[in-house]
Amino acid sequence: MIRVLIVDDDFMVARVHAGFVAAADGYEVVGTASTGAAALADVERLRPDLVLLDVYLPDMTGLEALQRLRAGGSPVDVVVISAARDVESIRSALHGGVLHYLVKPFDRRTLERWLADYAALRADLAREPQLAQDDVDRLFGRRVAAAARPVTTPKGISPETLELVRGALAEAGRDGLSASEASERTGLARVSARRYLEQLVAQQEADVRQRYGTAGRPERRFTARSARGATPAGPSPAP
């Protein structure tokens, strides 16, 4: 198993990225850290194979943490995952020997492709005493999946949070979720959970229906189309 440490000061983003990694074949998340100091301590304590490193951390930048890792002789592989796209940050990352630099936001498939390529590369390095030019090109990033263009979402909608809600809705299956249930599963406020659920409906990834109870207002329930099929569900008949 490839052991991964995730470093991000936003617990929700860290949770989403942890889900991406845990779903990839041959990977396990061994820890998460929200500060540079915690990241340095966790690399020493947990000995991960790979670190997914954000740049914006509360106590030091991720790039400063990277410099300290290299100064201490750490050979851990690092991928920077950050909204920082200025030349100096990218240059510092390259000087720190990162394997790749993914610009937030990106879609799930971008990270999945990179993880698959990295796993294959590790297998090649373990198996072959010498590498062909194609393998060397992969090692130095020429064939590693490039960062995707930024994902466009409406104002106030975070791609990472949208992915979190999407995952919760998929896990709920055919029963779906109300906004309150989505709030409980994701840690979002109810009004935020409803906004993200409605965004999935607008993107035609989910359906919404009214469920009538014995008393009070009907409950709006959201269901992933992958669970219900592509045909929108109509309202449940009143008893």
Side-chain angles (χ1 to χ4, degrees):
M1 296 293 285
I2 299 173
R3 296 162 51 82
V4 182
L5 173 67
I6 296 172
V7 183
D8 200 299
D9 67 331
D10 187 324
F11 82 94
M12 196 169 295
V13 172
R15 181 176 173 182
V16 170
H17 291 171
F20 291 170
V21 173
D25 290 340
Y27 283 87
E28 65 173 333
V29 178
V30 296
T32 60
S34 59
T35 67
L40 294 172
D42 284 348
V43 169
E44 178 67 23
R45 178 174 61 90
L46 299 172
R47 301 291 180 181
D49 302 302
L50 177 66
V51 175
L52 304 187
L53 180 65
D54 191 14
V55 169
Y56 300 123
L57 300 174
D59 55 342
M60 67 180 80
T61 70
L63 299 174
E64 290 171 332
L66 176 62
Q67 291 173 357
R68 296 189 189 189
L69 284 173
R70 297 313 186 211
S74 174
V76 67
D77 290 335
V78 176
V79 173
V80 171
I81 296 182
S82 178
R85 60 183 70 195
D86 60 282
V87 173
E88 283 305 312
S89 292
I90 295 171
R91 181 179 289 116
S92 294
L94 289 172
H95 290 169
V98 301
L99 291 180
H100 199 34
Y101 195 114
L102 287 172
V103 177
K104 295 179 183 177
F106 53 86
D107 63 25
R108 180 173 188 157
R109 290 185 296 273
T110 298
L111 183 57
E112 287 176 341
R113 287 194 298 267
W114 190 89
L115 291 172
D117 193 84
Y118 175 71
L121 180 59
R122 282 177 59 91
D124 288 346
L125 291 174
R127 182 174 56 248
E128 301 292 343
Q130 295 185 359
L131 298 179
Q133 183 64 55
D134 284 352
D135 297 317
V136 175
D137 288 344
R138 289 173 57 212
L139 177 62
F140 283 92
R142 293 181 185 176
R143 290 194 177 179
V144 175
R149 294 179 180 177
V151 178
T152 301
T153 53
K155 184 177 181 180
I157 298 292
S158 160
E160 291 83 5
T161 304
L162 188 64
E163 181 63 35
L164 179 65
V165 176
R166 182 185 289 115
L169 197 62
E171 290 176 2
R174 295 177 62 86
D175 291 336
L177 294 174
S178 66
S180 296
E181 291 167 342
S183 172
E184 293 173 0
R185 295 196 183 197
T186 62
L188 293 169
R190 183 179 179 278
V191 64
S192 296
R194 185 177 66 246
R195 185 169 69 251
Y196 279 89
L197 288 168
E198 290 173 346
Q199 177 61 31
L200 291 174
V201 173
Q203 295 178 186
Q204 300 185 356
E205 296 183 49
D207 297 319
V208 60
R209 61 188 173 90
Q210 303 279 14
R211 187 173 73 177
Y212 293 86
T214 56
R217 297 172 60 184
E219 178 185 56
R220 285 164 57 85
R221 295 195 69 80
F222 299 81
T223 308
R225 289 200 173 186
S226 58
R228 296 185 58 86
T231 303
S236 300

